[in-house]
Each structure stands twice: as C-alpha cells, then as structure tokens.
C-alpha cells in the first residue's frame, strides 16, 4: 500500500494557500447534485455538516444522542487556542505551530500542524460572529488565559464551559441548515458499518436506537466525525456513549488505523473513589494556572493537608520543571503524578491522588477572584467529593482522556478508502504523540469549518454526473445482513456476565499494561489476556431484550465487542514502538532523569495498521515524518 | 444505605406503564444517582430481567442528556444539579424514592425513563442562531462587547437544554429554555440584525408544542444551571418588540 500523505510542495507557510487554489472546485450550481453523509455532530461533525450545507451540498448528519447539542465536545471546559497575539506577548502562527509540534513530541505532520495554527485565527472570528459569549476584558476586547505547554496567553474561554459554548454555536449553525432544508438530522441513530463498493466509500448502515430499525444510507462521500476511543479503558473522562464502532468498522473495511497506542492521560481529574464508579470527571487544566500541585515529602504521611507545614511538602512540578512549573504539558504532569504515587507519597483513596492547592491563589487574589475564574469547577468538585476546595486542597489524579490515534488521513483528511473522510478526534492527525491543552476544540473546528469544506470538493468534482449507489444494491444488503447477524449472535449468547463487567475487566488490562506507562513483557502478556477475555465475551456475555426495541444493553454490547479488537491493536502498536514519545512511555526507554527517550533514527514515522482479516495479525505501514522546520530536540520544560 | 426505589417502567409509547418497586441494600453515599441505577441494572440483567432504560451521557452535568423526576422534583432534591451530579449522600437511610420520566405532552415517552425532547431542537431551528456563513467573519476584536453584556449573555447561554423546566412546570411550558436562547443572542451585538425575527419565530414554534407560562417559577427552582426567570421577562419584551417592528 502506498501511504501518500499528499502534502503539497513548497514552503511550509504557503502550502495551504497554494493547495486551496489548486483544489478542484465544484460549481455552485452543481453542489446540490452531491450528497454527503456526516457521522457525528460534535465540534467537527456539526461544523462540517453546517459548512457543507451552507455551500449547497445535501447533507445527512447522524448522531447517537437525542440532540446534536449533546455531543461530547460539550464537556470540554478550558478553552480554545488561537494565535491572535492579542496580549502582545510574542505569540504568532509560527509559535503555535512550534509549540504544537514540540508538544506532540515530533510525531505529527508539520504541514497539518501549520495549517491548524493558520486557521486557528479564523476560528475565533467565526465563533465570535456566531455569538459565542467569550470572556471579555473591560474594554470589550477578548480575554485570554494560559494553558499547559505554552508560555504565551492564547487560550480563549467562556467561563469553564468553552466546549459547551463552541458546541452550541456549531449546533446552531447546523440547526440553521436543518431549517433551510440543506441538512437532514438523524438523532438517536448509530452508524454500525461502512459500505465500500468498487474501492470507494458509498454509504453507511445505521440502527435507529429508539426502535432497532436497521437502515442503509447512500451518498457521494462519507465523513466520520465520531470522536475518540478512550472509553476502551472503561473509566475515562469520555461521555458514556462515546465509542469507536464507526472508525473500527471502517478499519475493518480497509481504512488504516494510525498510532492507536497514543492515549492522553489527563493529569487533572477527580480520583477514583469506588468499584461501582462509572466514569472519571475531568477538572479543567486551566486550574493549573493558579493551583499548586504537591504531595507530602514523607511516604505514609496521613495528616490532613492543613497540618502539613510548607517545609514538609514537595511541589514536585515546580521543583523538577522550574520554567513551566505546574503548567508543564499533560503527559509530563501525568507521569510525574504517577511517579510520586508509586513512591507511596500519594494522598486520598488508595494513595492515588495528589493535592491541587489554591491556598496561595486565594491568599494572593482573594476568594472572590478565584471564584470568578474557576467557580463552576470548584462547585463540581464539591458536589462529587463532598469536600470544599476553597478550604481544603483538591485531590487530583490522571485519567484516560483523549486519543491522538485514529484513522489515518492524508493532507485532505481523506482516509485510505477514497470518499471516506475522517475529521476531529476520529482521525490521527495534528497532535502527534501528545496533545496540548485547548487544541482539541481548535482541531475539531478547523477540520469542520475550514479544511474539509475545501478538500471534499476536490474528491467530488471529478465525479460529477455519477449516481450514488442505490440502497437496494447488494453491497448495502450484504452489510445490513452482517449487522443483523452480529446482533443476533450477541443476543443469543445468553451467558452469565453483563457487558459492563467484561468491559471493566478489559479496561483494567488496558490501564495496567497500555496506560500511562508500558513495557515489553506487560504488553506481550496483555495481548494474550485480551484475546482470552474476548473469547469469554462471545461465550459468556448476557444481553437481555430484543434487537427490534430500544435496547441500551445491545447498544453497549456491539460497542464493547469492537473495543476488544481495538484494545489488542493498541497493545500491538505500543509493543512495536520501541521508544518513548509523548504519551507513549515505554519503561525500557527513558533518560537518566526519567523523561521520555525518543528514537528518531528508527521511529520517526506514523504507524498505520491494516486489517488483514479475522484472527490474522494486522499489517504495519509506515508514513515517514520529516521535520524540515522544527528540528527534533529532546523536549525539555525545565 | 438502605433505600426503596419506585421506578416508572413503560415498554414503549403505547404501553400504559406503571411503578415497580426495587428495594436496595448497601447503597454507597459516594455514588452518583446514575451509578446507583447502573448497579441496579447490573443486578437486573444478571437476574434475567430487562434493565431500566434512562438517558445519560457526559455524567459531568453539562450535556443535558440525563434527567428524571425524583420524588416530584426534576433532577432531584439538590438545587442547581443535573441528575448525573446528584450523589446519594443527599438522601437518608430508609428513604423511599420515586423515579419517573420528564413528563410533558411535548415529550412522548420512548421507554421507561427515556423521552423524546426533539421539540427543543425545533425551537432552535426556528431562529436560535446567527446567520453567518463560514469563512466570512470579520476580525473578532473589531466588534467590542462590554464585559457586563458578555457575562449576561453567558448567564443565559449556560442552559443545557435538558428539559427539566418543562417537566417541572404545571403547564408544561418551554419558556425558560426558549428565553435562555433568545436572551443570549439578543444581548450581543452580533445578534442584533435578526433580533426581532428571531424572538417572533422562536416563540411561535414554542407555543405550538408547549403550554403557557403562568409565572410559577418552578422552572427556575429546578434548573441545573440556575437560569434566571428574568430571562423570561426579557424574552417577553423581545417578543413584544417583534410584534411592533
């Protein structure tokens, strides 16, 4: 397979401009002759569907939630980056590009990252024009704050609900197109498989979650905007419904899956507190602007935080990384927390927590000022833990959060299946081996508003006059039958264990062996463990109810079945990558100081895996990465 | 904790439905309300019964998917809290808890506690947006917005669209949700050109689905985001304005 990223030639800063000019156009009057399916309605999906509708394409947009407004992008709290340099602190497109490449530990594609930094500026303009109530200075200009991995203040925010406000504005743009008749919205509808005929993506097969009806949808192109797969860990910060089925089914139909082992473990989450726990809750990274992270200096110190004097506290991030302090990137902060907890210095339930202390900030700024900045986050913490963080320090611990891996796409965001585009977290691009804070919202909207609407035309233009495949074509019927057979099989097992109990067990394996750190032996063993558990799943799962009904157990069962396969691929990828980079920390490869040690000679590539059939080992393809403009260096935040 | 749950079970829209009692032992006070339901569902599945269907997703109090009426109160007894952020420590040992779906003529029941809230989307589609095409926006700081205006817009924009306001209103009115959106956009300079048509169109669609507002203020009392009924007053002014434009 020829893995051509089709990055345009020419100087980095001119690539996107030049490419936009060279892309083939669809005449405005002809756009209405094309139809596009968009799966997912988060920041990437809603912005793409709205933009394509505005352009004149016929769009069908699908989401499993009961409203497009509820996509999980809504839970992102902290903010969105843009290289506006409103603060006059030396920010620029180039600096945002540089920070992102470095933050991703030199495992992302330079051309994509530069484009992202370029359009970041337009995203803010667009969202403000749509009425996003961003925080303002008294003069009426937009306010900024700083985020991990950067030394400039470039993060735009709307209280602690930035993702919500951006999601709502994209959803409203989408609602406008629904009203205009340009987009048909299909809520409570889940994509279960992709239809590929003659080597091209031709449509999808879905299930109506309210009555179980299986249906086929045909279009000239399919766009997946279905988010990430961190729920493979069972406990993660993702919404419960987030799942990998759409991208996994596409993988099984020929799309390559890139860098599956890159999972970001977010440092600022509320620690686990019980075995029944259903998910982990993220506290915004912005808290690290004013909160100081520490643990007691002595292992087993069981005194309450206020009884531990300054001299007996270890502010380990400030000590180890004086330049960035508490604002080091997420992979660094997460690993540092795990290390101190492994040393027995952790606090709270099971010793898996560190303090995030606002006492200094409250002393310096006053409680009112801290409340104005972080009030809703403090309230949320209090609600979950029953503790008042204005009086006692918060306890935080890292949790699986965002997956940088995803379907491989070229510069045009097209997968290895022609006609199948993948945007937002569902693709692998832009963040490399680690994602900096406030850049997921940026990528979702960049892809949906400013990249895909241009690049999809290049695929469609030469296909003028071709008809989409009819949904009664055997290719659709075949996929429908397979979907129905799979559900019938799951319902027929009638074993003893619930889907959740098996999913929890799978998640524990992933966390232990393919989580914050990995090693050869553990990963090799994990693959066997996952295979055995998958075997048990298909022998012993119990899924009650019927397929022709609203059946939440069946929904979960299909998703978890896919997670079993994906988990194995994650471990294979992690085992294959014999280096440490970003969130992929292999114990065997570290510097003397315990930092990630890359191997640029052998691993400066994107690992893209190809499905080779049931039970067969996947095949690895490599896209070599070149760093022409930001020469790889040892990442240092000291 | 020991509790008795009385949960509304209803197979589908055509079924009459009714309460079924589930005694619970060993409920941890640290559990969220939904985690308590998860544990119940695990036991039901193991016993060969169908679990209770309920809507939920982010479990961080922001997506607005979750929502049930708990002993007469939408989202339960804790003020300013979505069901997913309600913890069992807010209940007492021995409590009897009634759990039922958000009830409104506009929200038909799909199954058990899951209802159809699509009329809320219809209201937004009527005009709850600013008509600006992608890529045509001017530099953001060319339009200055006084901080107080942005803050007030944000106060309204925080609405999560869960529908609790509708469920708690004796008239099943959709005023608080609609008012939040109308007020958010009316507060900002970007929302001015369509201000009057927006209010008129959104109110018209709202009235097609929902009951009328009689100023009970029950909606404000149960709103998980504390959206103020002042915005209903603002919406009424916006609506009047639209009639005289």
């Amino acid at each position: 397979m020829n893995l051509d990223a089709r990055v345009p030639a020419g100087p980095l800063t001119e690539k996107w401009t030049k490419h936009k000019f060279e892309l083939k156009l669809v005449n405005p009057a002809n756009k209405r002759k094309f139809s596009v399916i968009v799966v997912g309605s988060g920041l990437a999906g809603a912005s793409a569907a709205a933009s394509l509708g505005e352009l004149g394409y016929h769009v069908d947009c699908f989401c499993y939630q009961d409203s497009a407004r509820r996509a999980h992008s809504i839970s992102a709290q902290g903010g969105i980056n843009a290289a506006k340099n409103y603060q006059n602190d030396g920010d620029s497109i180039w600096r945002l590009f540089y920070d992102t490449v470095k933050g991703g530990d030199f495992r992302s594609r330079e051309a994509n990252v530069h484009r992202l930094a370029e359009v970041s500026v337009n995203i803010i303009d667009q969202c403000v024009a749509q009425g996003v109530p961003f925080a303002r200075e008294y003069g009426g200009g937009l306010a900024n704050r700083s985020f991990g991995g950067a030394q400039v203040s470039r993060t735009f925010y709307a209280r602690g609900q930035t993702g919500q406000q951006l999601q709502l504005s994209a959803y409203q743009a989408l609602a406008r197109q629904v009203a205009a008749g340009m987009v048909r919205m299909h809520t409570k509808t889940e994509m279960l498989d992709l239809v590929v005929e003659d080597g091209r993506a031709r449509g999808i097969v879905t299930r109506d979650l309210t009555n179980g009806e299986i249906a086929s949808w045909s279009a000239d192109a399919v766009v997946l905007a279905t988010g990430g797969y961190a729920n493979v860990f069972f406990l993660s910060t993702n919404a419960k419904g987030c799942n990998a089925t759409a991208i996994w089914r596409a993988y099984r139909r020929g799309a390559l899956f890139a860098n599956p082992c890159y999972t970001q473990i977010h440092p600022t989450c509320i620690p686990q507190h019980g075995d029944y726990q259903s998910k982990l809750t993220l506290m915004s990274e912005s808290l690290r602007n004013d909160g100081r992270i520490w643990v007691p200096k002595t292992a087993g110190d069981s005194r309450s935080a206020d009884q531990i004097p300054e001299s007996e506290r270890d502010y380990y991030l400030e000590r180890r990384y004086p330049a960035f302090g508490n604002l080091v990137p997420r992979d660094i902060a997460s690993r540092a927390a795990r290390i101190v907890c492994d040393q027995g210095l952790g606090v709270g339930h099971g010793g898996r927590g560190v303090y995030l202390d606002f006492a200094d900030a409250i002393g310096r700024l006053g409680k009112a000022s801290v409340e104005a900045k972080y009030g809703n986050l403090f309230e949320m913490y209090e609600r979950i833990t029953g503790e008042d963080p204005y009086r006692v320090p918060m306890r935080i611990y890292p949790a699986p959060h965002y997956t940088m891996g995803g379907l491989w796409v070229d510069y045009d965001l097209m997968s290895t299946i022609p006609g199948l585009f993948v945007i937002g977290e569902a693709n692998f691009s832009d963040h490399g081996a680690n994602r900096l804070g406030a850049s997921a919202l940026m990528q979702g909207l960049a892809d949906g508003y400013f990249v895909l609407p241009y690049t999809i035309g290049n695929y469609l233009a030469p296909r003028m006059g071709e008809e989409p495949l009819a949904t009664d074509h055997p290719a659709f019927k075949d996929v429908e039958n397979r979907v129905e057979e799979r559900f019938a099989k799951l319902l027929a097992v009638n074993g003893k264990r619930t889907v959740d109990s098996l999913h929890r067990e799978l998640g524990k394996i992933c966390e232990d062996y393919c989580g914050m750190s990995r090693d050869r032996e553990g990963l090799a063993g994990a693959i066997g463990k996952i295979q055995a558990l998958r075997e048990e799943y298909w022998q012993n799962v119990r899924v009650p109810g019927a397929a022709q009904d609203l059946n939440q157990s069946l929904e979960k069962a299909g998703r978890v079945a896919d997670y079993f396969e994906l988990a194995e691929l994650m471990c294979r990828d992690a085992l294959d990558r014999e280096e440490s980079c970003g969130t992929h920390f292999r114990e065997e490869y570290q510097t003397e100081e315990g930092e990630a040690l890359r191997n640029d000679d052998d691993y400066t590539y994107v690992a893209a895996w190809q499905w080779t059939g049931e039970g067969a080992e996947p095949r690895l393809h490599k896209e070599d990465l070149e760093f022409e403009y930001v020469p790889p260096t040892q990442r240092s935040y000291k | 904790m020991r509790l008795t749950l009385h949960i509304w079970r209803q197979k589908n829209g055509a079924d009459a439905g009714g309460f079924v009692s589930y005694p619970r032992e060993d409920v941890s006070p640290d559990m969220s309300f939904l985690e308590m339901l998860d544990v119940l569902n695990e036991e039901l599945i193991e016993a060969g019964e169908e679990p209770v269907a309920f809507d939920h997703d982010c479990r961080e109090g922001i997506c607005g998917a979750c929502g049930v009426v708990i002993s007469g109160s939408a989202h339960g007894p804790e003020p300013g809290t979505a069901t997913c952020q309600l913890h069992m420590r807010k209940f007492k040992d021995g409590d009897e808890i009634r759990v039922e779906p958000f009830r409104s003529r506009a929200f038909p029941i799909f199954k058990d506690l899951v209802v159809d809230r699509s009329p809320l989307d219809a209201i937004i589609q009527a005009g709850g947006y600013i008509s600006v095409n992608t890529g045509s926006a001017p530099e953001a700081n060319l339009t200055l917005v006084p901080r107080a205006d942005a803050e007030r817009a944000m106060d309204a924009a925080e609405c999560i669209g869960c529908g609790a306001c509708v469920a708690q209103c004796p008239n099943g009115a959709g005023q608080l949700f609609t008012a939040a959106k109308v007020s958010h956009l009316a507060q900002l300079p970007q929302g001015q050109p369509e201000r009057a048509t927006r209010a008129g169109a959104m109110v018209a669609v709202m009235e097609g689905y929902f009951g009328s507002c009689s100023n009970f203020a029950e909606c404000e009392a149960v709103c998980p985001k504390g959206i103020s009924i002042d915005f209903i007053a603002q919406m009424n002014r916006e609506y009047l304005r639209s009639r005289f434009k």
Side-chain angles (χ1 to χ4, degrees):
Chain A
M1 182 169 294
N2 176 25
L3 212 51
D4 182 2
R6 308 200 313 134
V7 173
L12 185 67
T13 54
E14 291 162 30
K15 282 183 198 289
W16 178 231
T17 308
K18 183 165 156 281
H19 190 60
K20 275 192 288 189
F21 178 72
E22 286 169 355
L23 287 167
K24 290 190 264 307
L25 295 175
V26 179
N27 160 341
N30 284 337
K31 288 202 175 86
R32 64 171 177 270
K33 294 174 185 160
F34 288 105
S35 58
V36 180
I37 285 169
V38 178
V39 187
S41 62
L43 286 185
S47 59
S51 303
L52 294 173
E54 281 168 15
L55 286 170
Y57 295 110
H58 286 285
V59 180
D60 281 282
C61 183
F62 298 81
C63 69
Y64 71 77
Q65 296 91 348
D66 72 337
S67 167
R69 65 179 292 139
R70 306 201 201 287
H72 190 53
S73 305
I74 205 149
S75 297
Q77 297 159 335
I80 177 167
N81 283 337
K84 283 284 200 186
N85 195 31
Y86 285 161
Q87 305 296 336
N88 194 27
D89 57 3
D91 200 8
S92 63
I93 287 170
W94 190 265
R95 191 178 294 277
L96 176 53
F97 156 72
Y98 177 90
D99 286 348
T100 307
V101 171
K102 178 186 167 198
D105 218 354
F106 305 94
R107 291 294 174 264
S108 47
R109 200 186 280 149
E110 275 189 338
N112 284 53
V113 178
H114 194 274
R115 175 174 66 190
L116 177 68
E118 271 177 85
V119 305
S120 69
V121 177
N122 304 108
I123 295 170
I124 299 303
D125 297 342
Q126 179 70 25
C127 293
V128 166
Q130 288 173 344
V132 171
F134 282 118
R136 298 275 170 170
E137 305 292 356
Y138 282 105
L142 289 150
N144 288 121
R145 60 184 171 199
S146 50
F147 244 59
Q151 287 178 307
V152 291
S153 192
R154 64 158 76 98
T155 306
F156 294 77
Y157 63 101
R159 291 196 191 141
Q161 285 119 295
T162 317
Q164 178 198 31
Q165 294 308 313
L166 297 174
Q167 173 67 36
L168 290 179
S169 74
Y171 153 77
Q172 286 160 209
L174 179 60
R176 174 176 165 234
Q177 296 308 313
V178 173
M182 299 309 295
V183 178
R184 279 192 296 176
M185 192 69 218
H186 308 269
T187 58
K188 280 201 179 279
T189 308
E190 182 168 25
M191 168 178 162
L192 292 176
D193 215 332
L194 178 75
V195 177
V196 180
E197 173 65 14
D198 203 13
R200 279 157 51 196
R202 311 303 285 262
I204 62 171
V205 170
T206 60
R207 180 170 183 270
D208 181 329
L209 300 181
T210 64
N211 59 20
E213 199 178 305
I214 303 291
S216 282
W217 307 88
S218 176
D220 294 296
V222 176
V223 180
L224 301 186
T226 52
Y229 51 87
N231 267 343
V232 69
F233 292 90
F234 189 83
L235 283 180
S236 84
T237 63
N238 284 195
K240 293 290 286 176
C242 291
N243 68 89
T245 287
I247 55 172
W248 192 254
R249 296 281 126 189
Y251 164 70
R252 290 177 55 117
R253 299 218 171 261
L256 299 198
F257 203 118
N259 298 335
C261 78
Y262 292 165
T263 310
Q264 177 164 78
I265 315 284
H266 196 292
T268 326
C269 298
I270 300 178
Q272 193 181 343
H273 53 75
D275 296 332
Y276 48 80
Q277 196 160 346
S278 61
K279 74 161 285 189
L280 296 168
T281 301
L282 173 70
M283 305 293 290
S284 170
E285 182 174 27
S286 65
L287 291 170
R288 291 198 277 143
N289 270 316
D290 287 303
R292 297 182 69 197
I293 293 173
W294 63 275
V295 288
K297 277 186 176 165
T298 331
D301 191 334
S302 58
R303 289 175 292 177
S304 64
D306 60 337
Q307 298 299 310
I308 301 178
E310 268 315 293
S311 60
E312 294 175 43
R313 301 175 176 193
D314 182 9
Y315 294 88
Y316 58 90
L317 288 177
E318 296 168 34
R319 173 172 57 78
R320 286 178 60 186
Y321 307 98
F324 282 69
N326 294 300
L327 283 174
V328 290
R330 294 174 176 180
D331 56 331
I332 309 270
S334 292
R335 217 151 38 230
R338 187 184 54 86
I339 290 168
V340 293
C341 291
D342 285 349
Q343 290 165 349
L345 301 168
V347 296
H349 179 84
R352 291 279 139 188
V354 300
Y355 286 127
L356 176 61
D357 196 337
F358 284 85
D360 273 12
I362 291 170
R364 190 176 69 245
L365 307 164
K367 186 183 167 193
S369 172
V370 170
E371 195 171 351
K373 271 180 163 169
Y374 310 112
N376 69 315
L377 296 167
F378 276 48
E379 203 185 303
M380 186 171 83
Y381 182 87
E382 196 271 332
R383 213 162 259 170
I384 292 172
T385 62
E387 290 176 356
D388 176 6
Y390 292 104
R391 291 193 303 112
V392 297
M394 289 183 181
R395 281 174 292 106
I396 54 166
Y397 196 68
H401 179 52
Y402 186 96
T403 47
M404 282 74 65
L407 293 184
W408 184 89
V409 288
D410 64 15
Y411 187 74
D412 285 347
L413 305 182
M414 191 162 80
S415 71
T416 47
I417 301 175
L420 179 69
F421 292 80
V422 192
I423 61 177
E425 191 181 352
N427 73 25
F428 86 104
S429 78
D430 297 12
H431 306 300
N434 174 47
R435 182 177 63 79
L436 292 181
S439 59
L441 303 183
M442 179 170 66
Q443 191 212 338
L445 291 178
D447 288 0
Y449 282 135
F450 297 108
V451 182
L452 181 87
Y454 289 94
T455 60
I456 203 169
N458 192 57
Y459 171 79
L460 294 172
R463 296 191 161 72
M464 190 61 217
E466 289 178 20
E467 285 293 312
L469 207 60
T471 51
D472 58 4
H473 186 279
F476 278 100
K477 289 293 150 203
D478 177 52
V479 175
E480 280 187 24
N481 290 339
R482 281 164 189 267
V483 163
E484 280 167 0
E485 278 165 23
R486 188 159 178 265
F487 276 155
K489 201 172 151 196
L490 281 166
L491 287 164
V493 177
N494 199 22
K496 295 216 163 4
R497 295 188 59 182
T498 63
V499 174
D500 274 358
S501 78
L502 287 151
H503 188 183
R504 266 180 205 279
E505 206 173 318
L506 172 70
K508 185 79 170 59
I509 298 172
C510 295
E511 195 188 314
D512 288 350
Y513 301 107
C514 199
M516 246 184 295
S517 69
R518 308 95 194 259
D519 63 36
R520 188 174 296 113
E521 200 187 343
L523 286 164
I527 293 172
K529 288 188 176 76
I530 291 167
Q531 287 169 340
L533 193 62
R534 184 169 67 222
E535 192 82 357
E536 185 186 352
Y537 187 76
W538 286 98
Q539 303 289 330
N540 199 23
V541 74
R542 173 177 289 187
V543 186
Q548 297 78 23
D549 191 9
L550 190 160
N551 186 341
Q552 294 172 331
S553 304
L554 186 61
E555 291 167 24
K556 274 197 274 194
R559 294 167 191 163
V560 174
D562 287 334
Y563 277 137
F564 273 107
E565 298 178 7
L566 169 61
E568 188 181 329
L569 188 70
M570 277 171 58
C571 292
R572 279 189 196 282
D573 186 43
L575 185 60
D576 195 73
R577 187 169 282 278
E578 297 193 330
E579 64 164 347
S580 291
C581 61
T583 64
H584 170 64
F585 192 79
R586 278 283 294 267
E587 296 286 347
E588 302 96 325
Y589 311 99
Q590 48 182 307
T591 64
E592 278 177 16
E593 289 166 310
E595 305 293 348
L597 185 63
R598 287 198 324 268
N599 176 351
D600 288 335
D601 291 340
D602 299 321
Y603 291 95
T604 311
Y605 60 72
V606 176
W609 297 87
Q610 183 184 12
W611 170 259
T612 57
E614 209 78 53
E617 286 199 13
R619 185 176 306 137
L620 175 63
H621 300 268
K622 297 171 184 175
E623 177 201 338
D624 287 321
L625 294 170
E626 278 167 40
F627 292 88
E628 252 184 283
Y629 297 88
V630 190
T633 49
Q634 171 71 32
R635 258 167 99 213
S636 171
Y637 293 91
K638 294 199 190 284
Chain B
M1 295 165 75
R2 293 179 59 229
L3 301 167
T4 309
L5 302 173
H6 306 285
I7 302 180
W8 184 262
R9 303 301 307 261
Q10 183 174 341
K11 283 186 182 21
N12 52 50
D15 181 33
F19 285 101
V20 178
S21 298
Y22 300 94
R24 307 299 300 150
E25 310 279 333
D26 302 329
V27 171
S28 159
D30 288 335
M31 283 177 169
S32 73
F33 195 84
L34 299 186
E35 284 167 348
M36 189 265 304
L37 290 180
D38 288 340
V39 173
L40 168 69
N41 277 346
E42 291 287 284
E43 290 175 17
L44 289 177
I45 294 169
E46 281 165 5
E49 291 174 48
E50 274 211 51
V52 180
F54 62 93
D55 247 336
H56 63 97
D57 204 14
C58 78
R59 297 203 175 188
E60 293 180 15
I62 197 123
C63 78
C66 69
V68 288
V69 176
I70 300 168
S71 299
S73 185
H75 291 301
E78 175 78 352
T81 304
T83 309
C84 64
Q85 295 290 288
L86 174 67
H87 283 70
M88 297 314 291
R89 65 177 77 94
K90 302 295 175 188
F91 296 87
K92 291 194 306 291
D93 194 43
D95 273 357
E96 306 246 336
I97 303 173
R98 214 167 69 246
V99 189
E100 50 192 320
F102 280 176
R103 294 190 192 277
S104 162
R105 194 164 46 98
F107 293 168
I109 292 177
F110 281 129
K111 185 175 183 174
D112 295 342
L113 305 173
V114 182
V115 300
D116 178 0
R117 287 170 288 191
S118 52
L120 300 181
D121 285 329
I123 293 171
I124 300 299
Q125 285 158 15
Y129 47 76
I130 287 169
S131 297
V132 51
N133 277 0
T134 306
S136 60
E139 154 57 43
N141 258 355
L142 285 178
T143 312
L144 298 176
V145 181
R147 183 170 174 151
D149 290 1
E151 290 294 317
R152 185 171 159 80
M154 186 62 207
D155 288 342
E158 281 187 50
C159 168
I160 59 174
C162 62
C165 46
V166 175
Q168 200 69 24
C169 176
N171 296 338
Q175 239 79 6
L176 194 63
F177 169 80
T178 316
K181 204 70 239 173
V182 167
S183 303
H184 159 207
L185 296 176
Q187 196 68 35
L188 295 168
Q190 295 85 350
Q192 298 313 307
E194 296 170 298
R195 185 171 173 176
T197 49
R198 174 183 304 117
M202 289 176 73
V203 169
V205 170
M206 173 189 79
E207 286 180 341
Y209 286 101
F210 296 97
S212 56
C213 175
S214 310
N215 296 313
F216 285 101
E218 293 284 318
C219 51
E220 184 186 64
V222 297
C223 176
K225 293 295 151 183
I227 306 290
S228 163
I229 52 166
D230 291 356
F231 290 120
I232 297 182
Q234 179 169 355
M235 178 178 74
N236 290 339
R237 287 197 300 277
E238 299 291 335
Y239 180 70
L240 267 178
R241 220 168 153 258
S242 79
R243 307 321 293 165
F244 293 106
K245 267 257 173 184

